[in-house]
Amino acid sequence: MNLEQILQNVESQLDIATGNIKWDDDETLARINLANTAIRTWASSNSTRWNELYTIVETVPLEVGANEFEVADDFMLLDAVVIASSGRELEIRDLRNSHRPGDYVTLSGNSLVGHKLRYGKELKPGDNMVGEKLKLCYYRAAKELHNPADKPEMSDSSFIVDYVSAAVSSDDDQSKFSIFASNYTQKLKDMITKNNQLPQGQYESALDDSNMAIGV
């Protein structure tokens, strides 16, 4: 379901009617804002680590000297850093415990200035890490909806429909509000359950929260 279809479904639920969306109308703009509030609610729900937001990116090869890499703007929380060729996991240290050079990485910055990942020592010629690539495994922010064809990343986009419908009806129709609120609450629970189910034969390997580096 894309943004246009979401807004059409909201209109159907609230007004029992369908029609062309007036994209410059204040009410439509407010509903788009509510749709994105629903996405942010989903993304931060109950500290759930959504599979849809788990990302793995690879750096360019490490070089002689200091190695520092820009982290994408959508970065939220660092899960692990591993050496691409071997899969060996590197320790992630906070800046307070990174005074001595070593085989680890640090994450610096915040949401205002951006984040940077730095290898824990300057590499010298002949170091076996020269030429290696690092894989950054992290959670990113959810993408929001702005254009009619934009689609949400969650598995059940009707959650957004019910969320917006509940918000719009909260002031003037408590009966509708209760129904829509109950619907989106259940759909959120169902998505969390589905997200946390592991395929047969798969084991949980993600680090626990004490080992994660969180973006500020």
Side-chain angles (χ1 to χ4, degrees):
M1 209 184 319
N2 60 31
L3 176 58
E4 184 171 19
Q5 293 166 327
I6 287 171
L7 295 178
Q8 288 172 338
N9 276 277
V10 169
E11 185 174 357
S12 295
Q13 290 199 154
L14 291 174
D15 302 324
I16 320 298
T18 58
N20 293 327
I21 303 298
K22 298 177 181 179
W23 293 97
D24 58 350
D25 184 77
D26 286 345
E27 186 174 357
T28 298
L29 296 175
R31 291 182 181 187
I32 292 173
N33 286 336
L34 288 171
N36 287 321
T37 299
I39 288 174
R40 291 190 292 272
T41 300
W42 166 78
S44 61
S45 176
N46 199 28
S47 300
T48 301
R49 308 301 182 207
W50 296 104
N51 296 325
E52 294 91 339
L53 303 182
Y54 189 74
T55 305
I56 299 177
V57 297
E58 198 171 88
T59 68
V60 298
L62 299 180
E63 301 176 342
V64 171
N67 287 270
E68 189 173 70
F69 306 97
E70 298 281 348
V71 181
D73 291 340
D74 61 4
F75 170 84
M76 292 295 290
L77 182 148
L78 188 59
D79 181 32
V81 178
V82 300
I83 299 172
S85 63
S86 65
R88 179 170 68 87
E89 191 172 305
L90 295 174
E91 179 185 2
I92 302 170
R93 292 190 184 180
D94 60 48
L95 296 177
R96 297 187 302 274
N97 296 312
S98 60
H99 303 299
R100 294 184 180 181
D103 189 25
Y104 59 84
V105 293
T106 59
L107 181 74
S108 62
N110 54 51
S111 57
L112 177 62
V113 302
H115 294 88
K116 292 183 178 180
L117 186 85
R118 186 180 180 89
Y119 190 64
K121 64 180 180 180
E122 292 193 10
L123 298 182
K124 298 179 180 179
D127 193 301
N128 60 6
M129 286 296 291
V130 173
E132 291 282 3
K133 296 180 181 180
L134 303 180
K135 282 187 176 181
L136 281 62
C137 310
Y138 70 93
Y139 293 91
R140 60 172 176 79
K143 295 178 181 177
E144 298 189 357
L145 308 178
H146 302 285
N147 301 307
D150 289 349
K151 293 182 178 181
E153 298 168 291
M154 65 185 68
S155 60
D156 185 358
S157 53
S158 67
F159 164 80
I160 302 175
V161 175
D162 288 324
Y163 186 99
V164 175
S165 298
V168 173
S169 61
S170 61
D171 287 338
D172 55 10
D173 194 326
Q174 284 298 308
S175 177
K176 284 186 177 181
F177 168 77
S178 297
I179 293 171
F180 298 141
S182 176
N183 286 346
Y184 82 67
T185 299
Q186 185 58 51
K187 288 175 182 179
L188 183 58
K189 290 179 180 178
D190 291 344
M191 283 192 286
I192 292 173
T193 299
K194 180 180 178 181
N195 182 82
N196 294 337
Q197 288 176 339
L198 294 175
Q200 186 175 359
Q202 179 178 331
Y203 296 93
E204 179 63 73
S205 59
L207 300 177
D208 62 36
D209 285 353
S210 63
N211 293 321
M212 291 182 178
I214 301 174
V216 179

